[in-house]
Amino acid sequence: MYKQKRVGQGGKDFYVYKFRTMYLNADKIGPTITKEGDRRITKVGKILRKLSIDELPQMVNVFLGQMSLVGYRPGVRENYSEADLKSRIFDLKPGITGYAQVMGRSTLTREEKRNWELKYAEDASFLVDLKIILLTIKKVVTGEAAY
């Protein structure tokens, strides 16, 4: 198991839980954002990430009321500007999945990811959440982004 402090609703910090997919102390020897092909990811970690199994422990965060199934992906504080922290993104709970995950995940630039998060903050509804959940299932099964 792995836990890391992330920024949640209202800009408040919380610990997110995941299955460890990287070598021990990888967060101290590399960037805080993981891109495809990151050499810190273990062989088993690649499989867990490909199938999104590493995200399952975040259901604990959902049960604790810190996250929802759909929303923005919570990042570490140092990856957000002051303007980001004051944006509509943080009016909502972070989610296990969201627009950025189904539209490209780790292939997106920070700006593209932020734009998808802002779009979700504007579009948030039950039907949008349902659409994102279905697109997430499709992406996990096919491995293709939802462009």
Side-chain angles (χ1 to χ4, degrees), residues 3-4 10 16 29 31 48-49 54 58 61-62 66 70 76-77 87-88 91 96 105 110 135 139 142-143:
K3 76 175 187 176
Q4 184 181 45
V16 69
I29 60 171
L48 293 176
R49 284 173 174 257
D54 62 316
Q58 290 171 45
N61 295 109
V62 172
Q66 300 163 324
V70 181
V76 295
R77 185 164 294 280
S87 71
R88 294 194 58 215
D91 291 345
I96 294 175
R105 201 174 181 178
R110 189 178 297 189
L135 288 171
K139 181 169 174 65
T142 67

Side-chain angles (χ1 to χ4, degrees), residues 81-92:
S81 69
E82 283 302 313
D84 287 335
L85 291 170
K86 293 176 182 169
S87 71
R88 294 194 58 215
I89 294 168
F90 296 99
D91 291 345
L92 305 169

Side-chain angles (χ1 to χ4, degrees), residues 17-102:
Y17 301 98
K18 299 177 88 168
F19 286 128
R20 181 176 295 283
T21 60
M22 301 178 104
Y23 294 106
L24 204 57
N25 296 319
D27 55 341
K28 293 173 181 55
I29 60 171
T32 56
I33 294 176
T34 308
K35 291 288 186 186
E36 260 185 76
D38 192 315
R39 298 209 249 158
R40 298 172 297 162
I41 301 171
T42 65
K43 290 179 183 178
V44 172
K46 288 179 186 177
I47 296 166
L48 293 176
R49 284 173 174 257
K50 181 178 172 94
L51 299 173
S52 294
I53 294 170
D54 62 316
E55 310 289 352
L56 288 178
Q58 290 171 45
M59 290 303 293
V60 170
N61 295 109
V62 172
F63 293 130
L64 292 173
Q66 300 163 324
M67 293 180 69
S68 64
L69 292 178
V70 181
Y72 68 93
R73 285 297 297 153
V76 295
R77 185 164 294 280
E78 66 194 53
N79 288 341
Y80 293 109
S81 69
E82 283 302 313
D84 287 335
L85 291 170
K86 293 176 182 169
S87 71
R88 294 194 58 215
I89 294 168
F90 296 99
D91 291 345
L92 305 169
K93 287 182 183 179
I96 294 175
T97 189
Y99 273 144
Q101 283 61 51
V102 297

Side-chain angles (χ1 to χ4, degrees), residues 105-135:
R105 201 174 181 178
S106 58
T107 63
L108 299 176
T109 65
R110 189 178 297 189
E111 183 178 330
E112 290 169 325
K113 181 181 174 213
R114 203 69 77 239
N115 287 339
W116 281 116
E117 290 170 342
L118 286 167
K119 178 167 177 39
Y120 178 74
E122 293 170 10
D123 294 353
S125 71
F126 174 76
L127 289 177
V128 168
D129 286 3
L130 184 59
K131 175 184 173 184
I132 291 171
I133 289 169
L134 293 173
L135 288 171

